[in-house]
mmCIF file of all heavy atoms in Angstrom:
data_model
loop_
_atom_site.group_PDB
_atom_site.id
_atom_site.type_symbol
_atom_site.label_atom_id
_atom_site.label_comp_id
_atom_site.label_asym_id
_atom_site.label_seq_id
_atom_site.Cartn_x
_atom_site.Cartn_y
_atom_site.Cartn_z
ATOM 1 N N ARG G 15 148.456 80.695 62.391
ATOM 2 C CA ARG G 15 147.501 81.786 62.614
ATOM 3 C C ARG G 15 148.112 82.840 63.510
ATOM 4 O O ARG G 15 149.096 82.602 64.180
ATOM 5 C CB ARG G 15 146.164 81.236 63.265
ATOM 6 C CG ARG G 15 145.497 80.150 62.353
ATOM 7 C CD ARG G 15 144.201 79.741 62.978
ATOM 8 N NE ARG G 15 143.567 78.807 61.993
ATOM 9 C CZ ARG G 15 142.257 78.651 61.875
ATOM 10 N NH1 ARG G 15 141.470 79.397 62.514
ATOM 11 N NH2 ARG G 15 141.773 77.737 61.074
ATOM 12 N N PRO G 16 147.537 84.086 63.469
ATOM 13 C CA PRO G 16 148.140 85.145 64.273
ATOM 14 C C PRO G 16 147.920 84.850 65.775
ATOM 15 O O PRO G 16 146.976 84.219 66.173
ATOM 16 C CB PRO G 16 147.367 86.381 63.862
ATOM 17 C CG PRO G 16 146.151 85.874 63.304
ATOM 18 C CD PRO G 16 146.429 84.576 62.658
ATOM 19 N N ARG G 17 148.895 85.380 66.572
ATOM 20 C CA ARG G 17 148.672 85.276 67.992
ATOM 21 C C ARG G 17 147.507 86.050 68.436
ATOM 22 O O ARG G 17 147.103 87.080 67.905
ATOM 23 C CB ARG G 17 149.922 85.709 68.738
ATOM 24 C CG ARG G 17 151.130 84.740 68.597
ATOM 25 C CD ARG G 17 152.089 84.907 69.804
ATOM 26 N NE ARG G 17 151.452 84.548 71.070
ATOM 27 C CZ ARG G 17 152.024 84.660 72.250
ATOM 28 N NH1 ARG G 17 153.219 85.090 72.320
ATOM 29 N NH2 ARG G 17 151.323 84.290 73.328
ATOM 30 N N ILE G 18 146.839 85.574 69.537
ATOM 31 C CA ILE G 18 145.682 86.162 70.082
ATOM 32 C C ILE G 18 146.001 87.281 71.039
ATOM 33 O O ILE G 18 145.394 88.399 71.157
ATOM 34 C CB ILE G 18 144.707 85.188 70.800
ATOM 35 C CG1 ILE G 18 144.415 84.021 69.748
ATOM 36 C CG2 ILE G 18 143.483 85.841 71.338
ATOM 37 C CD1 ILE G 18 143.724 82.848 70.498
ATOM 38 N N ILE G 19 147.166 87.026 71.782
ATOM 39 C CA ILE G 19 147.606 87.966 72.884
ATOM 40 C C ILE G 19 148.525 89.031 72.321
ATOM 41 O O ILE G 19 149.401 88.706 71.590
ATOM 42 C CB ILE G 19 148.302 87.199 73.980
ATOM 43 C CG1 ILE G 19 147.253 86.224 74.761
ATOM 44 C CG2 ILE G 19 148.921 88.144 74.989
ATOM 45 C CD1 ILE G 19 147.951 85.363 75.768
ATOM 46 N N ASP G 20 148.225 90.223 72.621
ATOM 47 C CA ASP G 20 149.103 91.324 72.272
ATOM 48 C C ASP G 20 150.134 91.553 73.431
ATOM 49 O O ASP G 20 149.777 92.087 74.473
ATOM 50 C CB ASP G 20 148.326 92.616 72.052
ATOM 51 C CG ASP G 20 149.200 93.761 71.696
ATOM 52 O OD1 ASP G 20 150.421 93.659 71.506
ATOM 53 O OD2 ASP G 20 148.706 94.967 71.605
ATOM 54 N N LEU G 21 151.367 91.093 73.189
ATOM 55 C CA LEU G 21 152.337 91.195 74.329
ATOM 56 C C LEU G 21 152.687 92.595 74.727
ATOM 57 O O LEU G 21 153.204 92.838 75.860
ATOM 58 C CB LEU G 21 153.538 90.296 73.951
ATOM 59 C CG LEU G 21 153.421 88.826 73.751
ATOM 60 C CD1 LEU G 21 154.602 88.190 73.250
ATOM 61 C CD2 LEU G 21 152.839 88.239 75.090
ATOM 62 N N LEU G 22 152.447 93.545 73.810
ATOM 63 C CA LEU G 22 152.737 94.929 74.173
ATOM 64 C C LEU G 22 151.780 95.461 75.199
ATOM 65 O O LEU G 22 151.948 96.518 75.771
ATOM 66 C CB LEU G 22 152.704 95.783 72.939
ATOM 67 C CG LEU G 22 153.752 95.440 71.895
ATOM 68 C CD1 LEU G 22 153.643 96.340 70.594
ATOM 69 C CD2 LEU G 22 155.194 95.556 72.424
ATOM 70 N N ASP G 23 150.672 94.736 75.308
ATOM 71 C CA ASP G 23 149.613 95.137 76.298
ATOM 72 C C ASP G 23 149.526 94.240 77.529
ATOM 73 O O ASP G 23 148.457 93.968 77.982
ATOM 74 C CB ASP G 23 148.220 95.228 75.545
ATOM 75 C CG ASP G 23 147.181 95.832 76.392
ATOM 76 O OD1 ASP G 23 147.470 96.864 77.046
ATOM 77 O OD2 ASP G 23 146.075 95.338 76.411
ATOM 78 N N CYS G 24 150.714 93.770 77.997
ATOM 79 C CA CYS G 24 150.716 92.814 79.063
ATOM 80 C C CYS G 24 151.764 93.291 80.143
ATOM 81 O O CYS G 24 152.862 93.818 79.831
ATOM 82 C CB CYS G 24 151.253 91.439 78.584
ATOM 83 S SG CYS G 24 149.907 90.612 77.510
ATOM 84 N N ASP G 25 151.401 93.092 81.355
ATOM 85 C CA ASP G 25 152.269 93.320 82.515
ATOM 86 C C ASP G 25 151.960 92.317 83.552
ATOM 87 O O ASP G 25 151.311 92.580 84.488
ATOM 88 C CB ASP G 25 152.089 94.774 82.979
ATOM 89 C CG ASP G 25 152.951 95.065 84.144
ATOM 90 O OD1 ASP G 25 153.986 94.438 84.400
ATOM 91 O OD2 ASP G 25 152.597 96.008 84.972
ATOM 92 N N VAL G 26 152.528 91.133 83.360
ATOM 93 C CA VAL G 26 152.201 89.990 84.260
ATOM 94 C C VAL G 26 153.476 89.357 84.771
ATOM 95 O O VAL G 26 154.363 89.087 83.955
ATOM 96 C CB VAL G 26 151.358 88.952 83.483
ATOM 97 C CG1 VAL G 26 150.903 87.835 84.438
ATOM 98 C CG2 VAL G 26 150.189 89.610 82.859
ATOM 99 N N GLN G 27 153.575 89.061 86.023
ATOM 100 C CA GLN G 27 154.704 88.339 86.575
ATOM 101 C C GLN G 27 154.503 86.823 86.408
ATOM 102 O O GLN G 27 153.369 86.328 86.204
ATOM 103 C CB GLN G 27 154.805 88.633 88.078
ATOM 104 C CG GLN G 27 155.136 90.104 88.421
ATOM 105 C CD GLN G 27 155.304 90.294 89.902
ATOM 106 O OE1 GLN G 27 155.796 89.448 90.556
ATOM 107 N NE2 GLN G 27 154.810 91.443 90.421
ATOM 108 N N GLN G 28 155.605 86.125 86.400
ATOM 109 C CA GLN G 28 155.514 84.660 86.355
ATOM 110 C C GLN G 28 155.019 84.223 87.718
ATOM 111 O O GLN G 28 155.256 84.744 88.738
ATOM 112 C CB GLN G 28 156.877 84.075 86.081
ATOM 113 C CG GLN G 28 157.374 84.262 84.644
ATOM 114 C CD GLN G 28 156.565 83.439 83.640
ATOM 115 O OE1 GLN G 28 155.878 82.502 84.018
ATOM 116 N NE2 GLN G 28 156.614 83.863 82.456
ATOM 117 N N PRO G 29 154.260 83.052 87.727
ATOM 118 C CA PRO G 29 153.770 82.464 88.970
ATOM 119 C C PRO G 29 154.951 82.021 89.871
ATOM 120 O O PRO G 29 155.983 81.633 89.345
ATOM 121 C CB PRO G 29 152.876 81.336 88.578
ATOM 122 C CG PRO G 29 153.365 81.020 87.282
ATOM 123 C CD PRO G 29 153.845 82.298 86.541
ATOM 124 N N SER G 30 154.767 82.059 91.194
ATOM 125 C CA SER G 30 155.789 81.699 92.112
ATOM 126 C C SER G 30 155.919 80.121 92.259
ATOM 127 O O SER G 30 156.931 79.605 92.476
ATOM 128 C CB SER G 30 155.563 82.246 93.476
ATOM 129 O OG SER G 30 154.346 81.714 94.028
ATOM 130 N N LEU G 31 154.793 79.411 92.070
ATOM 131 C CA LEU G 31 154.666 77.970 92.160
ATOM 132 C C LEU G 31 155.210 77.406 93.543
ATOM 133 O O LEU G 31 155.825 76.367 93.598
ATOM 134 C CB LEU G 31 155.589 77.322 91.055
ATOM 135 C CG LEU G 31 155.205 77.695 89.598
ATOM 136 C CD1 LEU G 31 156.024 76.937 88.604
ATOM 137 C CD2 LEU G 31 153.747 77.606 89.334
ATOM 138 N N THR G 32 154.849 78.142 94.563
ATOM 139 C CA THR G 32 155.274 77.737 95.894
ATOM 140 C C THR G 32 154.083 77.145 96.651
ATOM 141 O O THR G 32 154.262 76.755 97.901
ATOM 142 C CB THR G 32 155.794 78.917 96.700
ATOM 143 O OG1 THR G 32 154.847 79.954 96.744
ATOM 144 C CG2 THR G 32 157.073 79.428 96.040
ATOM 145 N N LEU G 33 152.903 77.114 96.097
ATOM 146 C CA LEU G 33 151.729 76.696 96.837
ATOM 147 C C LEU G 33 151.846 75.170 97.377
ATOM 148 O O LEU G 33 151.484 74.819 98.471
ATOM 149 C CB LEU G 33 150.480 76.771 95.989
ATOM 150 C CG LEU G 33 149.760 78.141 95.922
ATOM 151 C CD1 LEU G 33 148.672 78.147 94.874
ATOM 152 C CD2 LEU G 33 149.257 78.515 97.271
ATOM 153 N N GLU G 34 152.375 74.317 96.476
ATOM 154 C CA GLU G 34 152.293 72.892 96.740
ATOM 155 C C GLU G 34 153.425 72.405 97.665
ATOM 156 O O GLU G 34 153.317 71.439 98.349
ATOM 157 C CB GLU G 34 152.401 72.089 95.433
ATOM 158 C CG GLU G 34 151.163 72.220 94.537
ATOM 159 C CD GLU G 34 151.162 73.496 93.801
ATOM 160 O OE1 GLU G 34 152.194 74.188 93.647
ATOM 161 O OE2 GLU G 34 150.013 73.845 93.238
ATOM 162 N N GLY G 35 154.565 73.162 97.635
ATOM 163 C CA GLY G 35 155.670 72.744 98.498
ATOM 164 C C GLY G 35 156.444 71.559 97.958
ATOM 165 O O GLY G 35 157.255 70.935 98.764
ATOM 166 N N TYR G 36 156.326 71.176 96.596
ATOM 167 C CA TYR G 36 157.033 70.080 96.041
ATOM 168 C C TYR G 36 158.388 70.578 95.591
ATOM 169 O O TYR G 36 158.622 71.724 95.435
ATOM 170 C CB TYR G 36 156.285 69.575 94.800
ATOM 171 C CG TYR G 36 154.967 68.901 95.081
ATOM 172 C CD1 TYR G 36 153.847 69.160 94.248
ATOM 173 C CD2 TYR G 36 154.730 68.155 96.194
ATOM 174 C CE1 TYR G 36 152.600 68.600 94.516
ATOM 175 C CE2 TYR G 36 153.523 67.573 96.507
ATOM 176 C CZ TYR G 36 152.427 67.844 95.666
ATOM 177 O OH TYR G 36 151.154 67.254 95.862
ATOM 178 N N ALA G 37 159.327 69.636 95.372
ATOM 179 C CA ALA G 37 160.678 69.974 94.885
ATOM 180 C C ALA G 37 160.536 70.533 93.501
ATOM 181 O O ALA G 37 161.267 71.434 93.156
ATOM 182 C CB ALA G 37 161.550 68.648 94.915
ATOM 183 N N VAL G 38 159.565 69.988 92.700
ATOM 184 C CA VAL G 38 159.354 70.526 91.385
ATOM 185 C C VAL G 38 157.733 70.673 91.299
ATOM 186 O O VAL G 38 157.027 69.696 91.455
ATOM 187 C CB VAL G 38 159.797 69.560 90.245
ATOM 188 C CG1 VAL G 38 159.470 70.124 88.897
ATOM 189 C CG2 VAL G 38 161.274 69.383 90.320
ATOM 190 N N SER G 39 157.349 71.878 90.971
ATOM 191 C CA SER G 39 155.876 72.102 90.958
ATOM 192 C C SER G 39 155.243 71.418 89.731
ATOM 193 O O SER G 39 155.927 71.251 88.707
ATOM 194 C CB SER G 39 155.612 73.661 90.760
ATOM 195 O OG SER G 39 154.303 73.910 90.447
ATOM 196 N N PRO G 40 154.009 70.958 89.888
ATOM 197 C CA PRO G 40 153.286 70.303 88.716
ATOM 198 C C PRO G 40 153.043 71.313 87.652
ATOM 199 O O PRO G 40 152.663 70.924 86.503
ATOM 200 C CB PRO G 40 151.996 69.983 89.379
ATOM 201 C CG PRO G 40 152.245 69.842 90.867
ATOM 202 C CD PRO G 40 153.229 70.918 91.157
ATOM 203 N N MET G 41 153.368 72.596 87.796
ATOM 204 C CA MET G 41 153.285 73.510 86.666
ATOM 205 C C MET G 41 154.543 74.112 86.201
ATOM 206 O O MET G 41 154.596 75.010 85.365
ATOM 207 C CB MET G 41 152.424 74.748 87.159
ATOM 208 C CG MET G 41 151.063 74.818 86.494
ATOM 209 S SD MET G 41 150.368 76.509 86.582
ATOM 210 C CE MET G 41 151.291 77.346 85.348
ATOM 211 N N GLU G 42 155.652 73.466 86.653
ATOM 212 C CA GLU G 42 156.940 73.938 86.301
ATOM 213 C C GLU G 42 157.169 73.910 84.769
ATOM 214 O O GLU G 42 157.811 74.731 84.174
ATOM 215 C CB GLU G 42 158.078 73.189 87.020
ATOM 216 C CG GLU G 42 159.480 73.563 86.749
ATOM 217 C CD GLU G 42 159.849 74.983 87.265
ATOM 218 O OE1 GLU G 42 159.276 75.411 88.309
ATOM 219 O OE2 GLU G 42 160.557 75.683 86.517
ATOM 220 N N HIS G 43 156.693 72.822 84.193
ATOM 221 C CA HIS G 43 156.912 72.705 82.670
ATOM 222 C C HIS G 43 156.222 73.784 81.953
ATOM 223 O O HIS G 43 156.704 74.189 80.864
ATOM 224 C CB HIS G 43 156.477 71.303 82.172
ATOM 225 C CG HIS G 43 155.056 71.020 82.304
ATOM 226 N ND1 HIS G 43 154.238 71.259 83.472
ATOM 227 C CD2 HIS G 43 154.100 70.694 81.415
ATOM 228 C CE1 HIS G 43 152.976 70.929 83.226
ATOM 229 N NE2 HIS G 43 152.880 70.602 81.951
ATOM 230 N N MET G 44 155.071 74.255 82.399
ATOM 231 C CA MET G 44 154.377 75.364 81.698
ATOM 232 C C MET G 44 155.001 76.656 81.987
ATOM 233 O O MET G 44 155.191 77.544 81.072
ATOM 234 C CB MET G 44 152.879 75.444 82.240
ATOM 235 C CG MET G 44 152.130 74.191 81.850
ATOM 236 S SD MET G 44 152.083 73.707 80.120
ATOM 237 C CE MET G 44 151.299 75.101 79.373
ATOM 238 N N LYS G 45 155.565 76.843 83.183
ATOM 239 C CA LYS G 45 156.250 78.158 83.522
ATOM 240 C C LYS G 45 157.477 78.211 82.662
ATOM 241 O O LYS G 45 157.827 79.335 82.106
ATOM 242 C CB LYS G 45 156.618 78.213 84.942
ATOM 243 C CG LYS G 45 157.382 79.424 85.381
ATOM 244 C CD LYS G 45 157.733 79.458 86.853
ATOM 245 C CE LYS G 45 158.511 80.713 87.139
ATOM 246 N NZ LYS G 45 158.752 80.743 88.674
ATOM 247 N N GLN G 46 158.247 77.144 82.476
ATOM 248 C CA GLN G 46 159.405 77.090 81.674
ATOM 249 C C GLN G 46 159.127 77.568 80.242
ATOM 250 O O GLN G 46 159.784 78.370 79.600
ATOM 251 C CB GLN G 46 160.088 75.769 81.698
ATOM 252 C CG GLN G 46 160.771 75.384 83.030
ATOM 253 C CD GLN G 46 161.951 76.246 83.302
ATOM 254 O OE1 GLN G 46 162.636 76.742 82.387
ATOM 255 N NE2 GLN G 46 162.313 76.419 84.545
ATOM 256 N N GLN G 47 158.060 76.993 79.691
ATOM 257 C CA GLN G 47 157.701 77.339 78.348
ATOM 258 C C GLN G 47 157.266 78.803 78.188
ATOM 259 O O GLN G 47 157.545 79.435 77.220
ATOM 260 C CB GLN G 47 156.558 76.497 77.786
ATOM 261 C CG GLN G 47 157.026 74.984 77.579
ATOM 262 C CD GLN G 47 155.849 74.157 77.180
ATOM 263 O OE1 GLN G 47 155.510 74.006 75.994
ATOM 264 N NE2 GLN G 47 155.215 73.530 78.144
ATOM 265 N N SER G 48 156.531 79.235 79.227
ATOM 266 C CA SER G 48 156.120 80.673 79.246
ATOM 267 C C SER G 48 157.300 81.619 79.232
ATOM 268 O O SER G 48 157.253 82.690 78.546
ATOM 269 C CB SER G 48 155.206 80.932 80.355
ATOM 270 O OG SER G 48 154.761 82.268 80.429
ATOM 271 N N ILE G 49 158.399 81.214 79.858
ATOM 272 C CA ILE G 49 159.542 82.136 79.978
ATOM 273 C C ILE G 49 160.160 82.294 78.577
ATOM 274 O O ILE G 49 160.481 83.363 78.104
ATOM 275 C CB ILE G 49 160.643 81.499 81.018
ATOM 276 C CG1 ILE G 49 160.136 81.617 82.455
ATOM 277 C CG2 ILE G 49 161.966 82.217 80.822
ATOM 278 C CD1 ILE G 49 160.908 80.894 83.437
ATOM 279 N N ILE G 50 160.357 81.178 77.903
ATOM 280 C CA ILE G 50 161.053 81.285 76.541
ATOM 281 C C ILE G 50 160.008 81.913 75.517
ATOM 282 O O ILE G 50 160.495 82.637 74.627
ATOM 283 C CB ILE G 50 161.482 79.893 76.040
ATOM 284 C CG1 ILE G 50 162.328 80.054 74.794
ATOM 285 C CG2 ILE G 50 160.309 78.996 75.818
ATOM 286 C CD1 ILE G 50 163.525 80.926 74.930
ATOM 287 N N VAL G 51 158.763 81.682 75.678
ATOM 288 C CA VAL G 51 157.721 82.296 74.765
ATOM 289 C C VAL G 51 157.825 83.778 74.905
ATOM 290 O O VAL G 51 157.778 84.486 73.909
ATOM 291 C CB VAL G 51 156.383 81.765 75.007
ATOM 292 C CG1 VAL G 51 155.324 82.650 74.416
ATOM 293 C CG2 VAL G 51 156.241 80.375 74.563
ATOM 294 N N GLY G 52 158.017 84.243 76.161
ATOM 295 C CA GLY G 52 158.049 85.671 76.412
ATOM 296 C C GLY G 52 159.338 86.262 75.800
ATOM 297 O O GLY G 52 159.264 87.375 75.189
ATOM 298 N N GLN G 53 160.422 85.598 75.893
ATOM 299 C CA GLN G 53 161.671 86.061 75.327
ATOM 300 C C GLN G 53 161.646 86.092 73.758
ATOM 301 O O GLN G 53 162.020 87.107 73.195
ATOM 302 C CB GLN G 53 162.891 85.187 75.812
ATOM 303 C CG GLN G 53 163.120 85.242 77.267
ATOM 304 C CD GLN G 53 164.208 84.281 77.702
ATOM 305 O OE1 GLN G 53 164.808 83.567 76.852
ATOM 306 N NE2 GLN G 53 164.454 84.246 78.993
ATOM 307 N N LEU G 54 161.183 85.040 73.203
ATOM 308 C CA LEU G 54 161.133 84.929 71.696
ATOM 309 C C LEU G 54 160.045 85.920 71.202
ATOM 310 O O LEU G 54 160.316 86.481 70.113
ATOM 311 C CB LEU G 54 160.768 83.460 71.339
ATOM 312 C CG LEU G 54 161.702 82.424 71.620
ATOM 313 C CD1 LEU G 54 161.241 81.005 71.204
ATOM 314 C CD2 LEU G 54 163.089 82.685 70.863
ATOM 315 N N SER G 55 158.933 86.130 71.873
ATOM 316 C CA SER G 55 157.921 87.021 71.394
ATOM 317 C C SER G 55 158.379 88.438 71.437
ATOM 318 O O SER G 55 158.206 89.219 70.547
ATOM 319 C CB SER G 55 156.667 86.887 72.283
ATOM 320 O OG SER G 55 156.134 85.572 72.164
ATOM 321 N N ALA G 56 159.148 88.811 72.499
ATOM 322 C CA ALA G 56 159.688 90.133 72.675
ATOM 323 C C ALA G 56 160.668 90.428 71.543
ATOM 324 O O ALA G 56 160.795 91.632 71.083
ATOM 325 C CB ALA G 56 160.391 90.344 74.035
ATOM 326 N N ARG G 57 161.412 89.416 71.168
ATOM 327 C CA ARG G 57 162.500 89.645 70.154
ATOM 328 C C ARG G 57 161.968 89.483 68.711
ATOM 329 O O ARG G 57 162.323 90.300 67.828
ATOM 330 C CB ARG G 57 163.603 88.750 70.353
ATOM 331 C CG ARG G 57 164.711 88.690 69.372
ATOM 332 C CD ARG G 57 165.408 90.089 69.211
ATOM 333 N NE ARG G 57 166.417 90.110 68.156
ATOM 334 C CZ ARG G 57 166.070 90.383 66.872
ATOM 335 N NH1 ARG G 57 164.813 90.703 66.518
ATOM 336 N NH2 ARG G 57 167.124 90.405 65.958
ATOM 337 N N PHE G 58 161.146 88.486 68.424
ATOM 338 C CA PHE G 58 160.823 88.128 67.065
ATOM 339 C C PHE G 58 159.322 88.256 66.748
ATOM 340 O O PHE G 58 158.918 88.337 65.635
ATOM 341 C CB PHE G 58 161.248 86.749 66.682
ATOM 342 C CG PHE G 58 162.731 86.546 66.804
ATOM 343 C CD1 PHE G 58 163.231 85.851 67.868
ATOM 344 C CD2 PHE G 58 163.607 87.072 65.834
ATOM 345 C CE1 PHE G 58 164.603 85.646 68.088
ATOM 346 C CE2 PHE G 58 164.971 86.868 65.989
ATOM 347 C CZ PHE G 58 165.468 86.218 67.081
ATOM 348 N N GLY G 59 158.474 88.221 67.808
ATOM 349 C CA GLY G 59 157.030 88.264 67.599
ATOM 350 C C GLY G 59 156.511 86.828 67.288
ATOM 351 O O GLY G 59 155.712 86.262 68.066
#
């Protein structure tokens, strides 16, 4: 199905994930995926 979010209409920074103070944030796995999704979407859609 088509994507719901229009990436051309977005200006959002990645979260810092410093709130918890852990060596690895409980949200690190989602941030990592968001990074590559942004790269792939910008290049291929």
Side-chain angles (χ1 to χ4, degrees):
R15 300 188 178 210
R17 288 205 63 182
I18 304 168
I19 295 174
D20 179 7
L21 294 177
L22 298 178
D23 189 40
C24 294
D25 178 22
V26 186
Q27 297 182 35
Q28 289 291 341
S30 65
L31 305 186
T32 57
L33 278 171
E34 292 77 16
Y36 297 140
V38 179
S39 168
M41 248 203 75
E42 181 66 35
H43 67 306
M44 297 305 297
K45 179 179 179 179
Q46 288 292 332
Q47 291 177 85
S48 180
I49 290 172
I50 188 60
V51 164
Q53 295 176 2
L54 294 176
S55 298
R57 174 61 184 86
F58 301 104

